[in-house]
Amino acid sequence: MAWIYQLTNFLIGTCLASHACVVCDRFDTGDFIWGRSRCDFCLTKLTLVDELPILSYCFLHGKCRYCQRSISVKLPLIEFLGGLAYLKIDFSQMTGIATAIVIFCLLLAAISDYDRLEFHLAMIFPALLLTLLRFKHLFKLQLGDLIELIPILLVLLFYTMQKKLGSGDLIIYLILAFFFTPHFANLVFLFGSFLLLFQFFLKRKTWSLQKQIAFVPYIFVGLIIQLLLQ
Ligand SMILES: [Zn+2]
Protein backbone atom coordinates (compact mmCIF):
# COMPACT_ATOMS: atom_id res chain seq x y z
CA MET A 1 0.00 0.00 0.00
CA ALA A 2 3.06 2.21 -0.04
CA TRP A 3 1.97 3.63 -3.40
CA ILE A 4 -1.22 5.16 -1.92
CA TYR A 5 0.88 6.90 0.71
CA GLN A 6 3.29 8.16 -1.95
CA LEU A 7 0.50 9.24 -4.30
CA THR A 8 -1.12 11.23 -1.47
CA ASN A 9 2.23 12.84 -0.69
CA PHE A 10 2.73 13.66 -4.36
CA LEU A 11 -0.69 15.36 -4.51
CA ILE A 12 0.00 17.32 -1.31
CA GLY A 13 3.33 18.39 -2.85
CA THR A 14 1.72 19.60 -6.09
CA CYS A 15 -0.84 21.68 -4.12
CA LEU A 16 1.88 23.19 -1.91
CA ALA A 17 4.00 24.00 -4.99
CA SER A 18 0.98 25.57 -6.69
CA HIS A 19 0.47 27.75 -3.62
CA ALA A 20 4.18 28.58 -3.55
CA CYS A 21 3.84 30.08 -7.04
CA VAL A 22 0.95 32.27 -5.83
CA VAL A 23 2.93 33.36 -2.76
CA CYS A 24 5.93 34.33 -4.93
CA ASP A 25 3.76 36.22 -7.42
CA ARG A 26 2.08 38.29 -4.73
CA PHE A 27 4.80 38.39 -2.09
CA ASP A 28 5.14 42.17 -2.30
CA THR A 29 1.42 42.86 -1.83
CA GLY A 30 0.95 40.15 0.80
CA ASP A 31 -2.55 39.14 -0.37
CA PHE A 32 -1.61 35.50 -1.00
CA ILE A 33 -3.53 34.14 1.98
CA TRP A 34 -7.11 35.11 1.12
CA GLY A 35 -6.97 36.46 -2.44
CA ARG A 36 -8.23 34.13 -5.17
CA SER A 37 -5.96 33.35 -8.10
CA ARG A 38 -6.55 35.27 -11.31
CA CYS A 39 -5.44 34.80 -14.88
CA ASP A 40 -2.29 36.91 -15.45
CA PHE A 41 -3.72 38.32 -18.69
CA CYS A 42 -7.51 38.74 -18.47
CA LEU A 43 -7.56 38.92 -14.64
CA THR A 44 -10.63 36.65 -14.48
CA LYS A 45 -10.87 34.96 -11.07
CA LEU A 46 -10.04 31.28 -11.44
CA THR A 47 -12.34 28.57 -10.13
CA LEU A 48 -11.13 25.52 -8.24
CA VAL A 49 -11.35 23.46 -11.46
CA ASP A 50 -8.94 25.88 -13.17
CA GLU A 51 -6.47 25.51 -10.35
CA LEU A 52 -6.00 21.74 -9.99
CA PRO A 53 -2.23 21.28 -10.01
CA ILE A 54 -0.85 19.76 -13.26
CA LEU A 55 -4.32 18.41 -14.26
CA SER A 56 -5.87 21.81 -15.09
CA TYR A 57 -2.91 22.61 -17.33
CA CYS A 58 -3.40 19.32 -19.22
CA PHE A 59 -7.22 19.61 -19.50
CA LEU A 60 -7.03 23.22 -20.68
CA HIS A 61 -4.17 22.40 -23.12
CA GLY A 62 -1.99 25.01 -21.44
CA LYS A 63 -4.41 27.86 -22.19
CA CYS A 64 -6.57 30.15 -20.05
CA ARG A 65 -10.19 28.98 -20.24
CA TYR A 66 -11.43 32.57 -20.51
CA CYS A 67 -9.01 34.43 -22.81
CA GLN A 68 -7.25 31.46 -24.47
CA ARG A 69 -3.79 32.90 -23.80
CA SER A 70 -1.01 30.37 -23.20
CA ILE A 71 -0.11 29.64 -19.58
CA SER A 72 3.61 29.21 -18.93
CA VAL A 73 4.74 25.56 -18.72
CA LYS A 74 6.71 26.71 -15.68
CA LEU A 75 3.63 26.32 -13.46
CA PRO A 76 2.91 22.58 -14.03
CA LEU A 77 6.66 21.92 -13.99
CA ILE A 78 7.04 23.51 -10.54
CA GLU A 79 3.95 21.58 -9.35
CA PHE A 80 5.50 18.32 -10.60
CA LEU A 81 8.81 19.08 -8.86
CA GLY A 82 6.88 19.94 -5.69
CA GLY A 83 5.13 16.56 -5.89
CA LEU A 84 8.48 14.77 -6.15
CA ALA A 85 9.97 16.78 -3.27
CA TYR A 86 7.24 15.62 -0.86
CA LEU A 87 7.05 12.01 -2.10
CA LYS A 88 8.86 10.48 0.87
CA ILE A 89 7.92 12.92 3.66
CA ASP A 90 6.41 11.26 6.73
CA PHE A 91 3.70 13.73 7.76
CA SER A 92 2.87 11.69 10.89
CA GLN A 93 6.20 12.66 12.50
CA MET A 94 7.22 16.09 13.79
CA THR A 95 10.51 15.85 11.87
CA GLY A 96 8.50 15.08 8.72
CA ILE A 97 6.39 18.22 9.19
CA ALA A 98 9.50 20.30 9.93
CA THR A 99 11.13 18.92 6.76
CA ALA A 100 7.97 19.76 4.79
CA ILE A 101 8.16 23.39 6.00
CA VAL A 102 11.87 23.64 5.13
CA ILE A 103 11.15 22.26 1.62
CA PHE A 104 8.36 24.83 1.14
CA CYS A 105 10.66 27.70 2.15
CA LEU A 106 13.40 26.51 -0.21
CA LEU A 107 10.84 26.15 -3.01
CA LEU A 108 9.76 29.79 -2.47
CA ALA A 109 13.41 30.85 -2.63
CA ALA A 110 13.96 28.77 -5.79
CA ILE A 111 10.95 30.23 -7.64
CA SER A 112 11.80 33.78 -6.58
CA ASP A 113 15.47 33.33 -7.56
CA TYR A 114 14.41 31.97 -10.95
CA ASP A 115 12.04 34.92 -11.58
CA ARG A 116 14.04 37.80 -10.10
CA LEU A 117 17.56 36.47 -9.36
CA GLU A 118 16.99 37.10 -5.66
CA PHE A 119 14.73 36.05 -2.82
CA HIS A 120 13.41 37.77 0.27
CA LEU A 121 14.86 36.56 3.57
CA ALA A 122 11.30 36.34 4.97
CA MET A 123 10.66 33.47 2.53
CA ILE A 124 13.20 31.23 4.28
CA PHE A 125 12.68 32.61 7.79
CA PRO A 126 10.65 29.57 9.03
CA ALA A 127 13.40 27.27 7.71
CA LEU A 128 16.04 29.34 9.51
CA LEU A 129 14.02 29.13 12.71
CA LEU A 130 13.61 25.36 12.45
CA THR A 131 17.33 25.04 11.73
CA LEU A 132 18.12 27.04 14.86
CA LEU A 133 15.84 24.76 16.88
CA ARG A 134 17.96 21.87 15.66
CA PHE A 135 21.11 23.69 16.60
CA LYS A 136 21.85 21.12 19.29
CA HIS A 137 23.02 19.04 16.32
CA LEU A 138 25.97 21.40 16.20
CA PHE A 139 27.32 19.96 19.43
CA LYS A 140 26.96 16.42 18.14
CA LEU A 141 28.99 17.05 14.99
CA GLN A 142 31.63 14.37 14.56
CA LEU A 143 35.06 14.92 13.04
CA GLY A 144 33.77 13.47 9.75
CA ASP A 145 30.96 16.07 9.67
CA LEU A 146 33.42 18.91 10.21
CA ILE A 147 35.69 17.58 7.45
CA GLU A 148 32.68 17.65 5.13
CA LEU A 149 31.40 21.03 6.34
CA ILE A 150 34.41 23.29 6.69
CA PRO A 151 36.02 23.13 3.20
CA ILE A 152 32.74 23.67 1.32
CA LEU A 153 31.67 26.39 3.76
CA LEU A 154 35.00 28.21 3.26
CA VAL A 155 34.74 27.96 -0.54
CA LEU A 156 31.18 29.33 -0.48
CA LEU A 157 32.21 32.07 1.96
CA PHE A 158 35.14 33.02 -0.31
CA TYR A 159 32.96 33.26 -3.43
CA THR A 160 30.26 35.15 -1.55
CA MET A 161 32.81 37.71 -0.35
CA GLN A 162 34.15 37.99 -3.93
CA LYS A 163 30.51 38.63 -4.97
CA LYS A 164 30.67 35.69 -7.38
CA LEU A 165 27.92 34.01 -5.40
CA GLY A 166 24.86 35.51 -3.75
CA SER A 167 24.68 35.40 0.04
CA GLY A 168 21.37 33.52 -0.36
CA ASP A 169 23.21 30.43 -1.64
CA LEU A 170 25.41 30.47 1.46
CA ILE A 171 22.40 30.77 3.80
CA ILE A 172 20.70 27.87 2.03
CA TYR A 173 23.86 25.78 2.41
CA LEU A 174 23.86 26.48 6.15
CA ILE A 175 20.18 25.52 6.44
CA LEU A 176 20.78 22.23 4.59
CA ALA A 177 23.96 21.48 6.58
CA PHE A 178 22.41 22.08 10.01
CA PHE A 179 18.80 21.03 9.42
CA PHE A 180 19.95 17.84 7.71
CA THR A 181 23.69 17.07 7.82
CA PRO A 182 26.82 18.54 6.17
CA HIS A 183 27.06 15.33 4.08
CA PHE A 184 23.46 15.81 2.90
CA ALA A 185 24.09 19.50 2.06
CA ASN A 186 27.27 18.67 0.10
CA LEU A 187 25.46 16.08 -2.02
CA VAL A 188 22.60 18.53 -2.69
CA PHE A 189 25.10 21.16 -3.86
CA LEU A 190 26.99 18.54 -5.89
CA PHE A 191 23.81 17.43 -7.72
CA GLY A 192 22.80 21.07 -8.21
CA SER A 193 26.22 21.91 -9.68
CA PHE A 194 26.10 18.89 -12.03
CA LEU A 195 22.67 19.98 -13.27
CA LEU A 196 23.94 23.51 -13.87
CA LEU A 197 26.98 22.18 -15.79
CA PHE A 198 24.73 19.86 -17.78
CA GLN A 199 22.48 22.74 -18.78
CA PHE A 200 25.50 24.88 -19.59
CA PHE A 201 26.77 22.26 -22.06
CA LEU A 202 23.34 21.97 -23.66
CA LYS A 203 23.01 25.72 -24.09
CA ARG A 204 26.69 26.74 -24.26
CA LYS A 205 26.24 28.59 -27.58
CA THR A 206 23.69 30.99 -26.13
CA TRP A 207 25.03 31.34 -22.59
CA SER A 208 27.19 34.24 -21.67
CA LEU A 209 29.63 33.56 -18.86
CA GLN A 210 29.05 37.07 -17.56
CA LYS A 211 25.36 36.34 -17.08
CA GLN A 212 24.04 36.14 -13.53
CA ILE A 213 22.63 32.68 -12.94
CA ALA A 214 19.89 31.72 -10.51
CA PHE A 215 21.51 28.83 -8.63
CA VAL A 216 18.77 28.16 -6.04
CA PRO A 217 16.48 26.33 -8.56
CA TYR A 218 19.37 23.92 -9.26
CA ILE A 219 19.94 23.46 -5.53
CA PHE A 220 16.23 22.69 -5.15
CA VAL A 221 16.34 19.97 -7.83
CA GLY A 222 19.50 18.65 -6.13
CA LEU A 223 17.51 18.55 -2.88
CA ILE A 224 14.73 16.54 -4.56
CA ILE A 225 17.27 13.98 -5.86
CA GLN A 226 18.86 13.70 -2.42
CA LEU A 227 15.47 13.35 -0.65
CA LEU A 228 14.43 10.60 -3.08
CA LEU A 229 17.74 8.74 -2.73
CA GLN A 230 17.56 8.71 1.08
ZN1 LIG B 1 -7.18 34.62 -19.12
Side-chain angles (χ1 to χ4, degrees):
M1 296 300 270
W3 68 272
I4 292 187
Y5 157 78
Q6 292 195 339
L7 180 69
T8 313
N9 273 7
F10 183 82
L11 293 177
I12 293 172
T14 57
C15 293
L16 288 171
S18 178
H19 189 61
C21 292
V22 177
V23 174
C24 279
D25 267 354
R26 308 192 201 158
F27 195 77
D28 300 326
T29 54
D31 70 339
F32 46 79
I33 300 170
W34 304 116
R36 292 287 305 275
S37 288
R38 291 166 184 267
C39 166
D40 286 340
F41 304 106
C42 62
L43 302 177
T44 310
K45 281 191 181 174
L46 301 178
T47 64
L48 200 62
V49 186
D50 302 320
E51 289 190 275
L52 293 174
I54 304 174
L55 293 177
S56 292
Y57 185 86
C58 299
F59 289 148
L60 299 171
H61 303 289
K63 288 188 175 120
C64 168
R65 183 206 296 272
Y66 309 99
C67 66
Q68 303 298 317
R69 293 256 216 140
S70 293
I71 306 165
S72 166
V73 72
K74 194 185 94 183
L75 184 66
L77 191 68
I78 292 172
E79 289 165 348
F80 181 72
L81 289 176
L84 289 182
Y86 285 91
L87 205 62
K88 287 178 132 186
I89 301 299
D90 184 355
F91 286 99
S92 65
Q93 302 282 330
M94 281 309 281
T95 39
I97 293 170
T99 309
I101 295 170
V102 170
I103 294 174
F104 188 78
C105 293
L106 296 182
L107 180 57
L108 287 181
I111 299 170
S112 181
D113 195 35
Y114 181 85
D115 287 341
R116 316 174 197 185
L117 291 171
E118 60 177 8
F119 62 86
H120 201 289
L121 211 56
M123 290 177 171
I124 55 163
F125 185 71
L128 275 172
L129 210 63
L130 287 166
T131 306
L132 284 176
L133 287 175
R134 282 198 168 205
F135 219 57
K136 58 179 190 287
H137 279 195
L138 192 60
F139 303 104
K140 291 188 198 154
L141 286 183
Q142 310 270 318
L143 184 64
D145 292 322
L146 292 176
I147 291 171
E148 294 225 36
L149 176 75
I150 291 169
I152 306 289
L153 191 57
L154 288 178
V155 168
L156 292 178
L157 207 59
F158 176 75
Y159 281 114
T160 307
M161 285 164 77
Q162 298 265 312
K163 301 223 183 304
K164 296 228 164 80
L165 198 73
S167 54
D169 301 307
L170 180 66
I171 297 171
I172 287 179
Y173 179 75
L174 289 171
I175 290 177
L176 292 172
F178 291 112
F179 184 82
F180 299 98
T181 60
H183 182 69
F184 184 97
N186 288 356
L187 285 174
V188 169
F189 267 62
L190 187 69
F191 290 136
S193 306
F194 274 139
L195 286 165
L196 181 62
L197 273 177
F198 182 65
Q199 210 191 1
F200 174 73
F201 278 111
L202 284 182
K203 292 189 175 175
R204 61 188 178 279
K205 292 207 175 80
T206 52
W207 267 27
S208 150
L209 284 174
Q210 304 302 323
K211 190 175 85 170
Q212 207 183 341
I213 295 162
F215 188 40
V216 187
Y218 295 94
I219 298 173
F220 189 78
V221 179
L223 172 66
I224 295 174
I225 298 172
Q226 183 57 9
L227 285 167
L228 291 178
L229 286 177
Q230 262 193 326

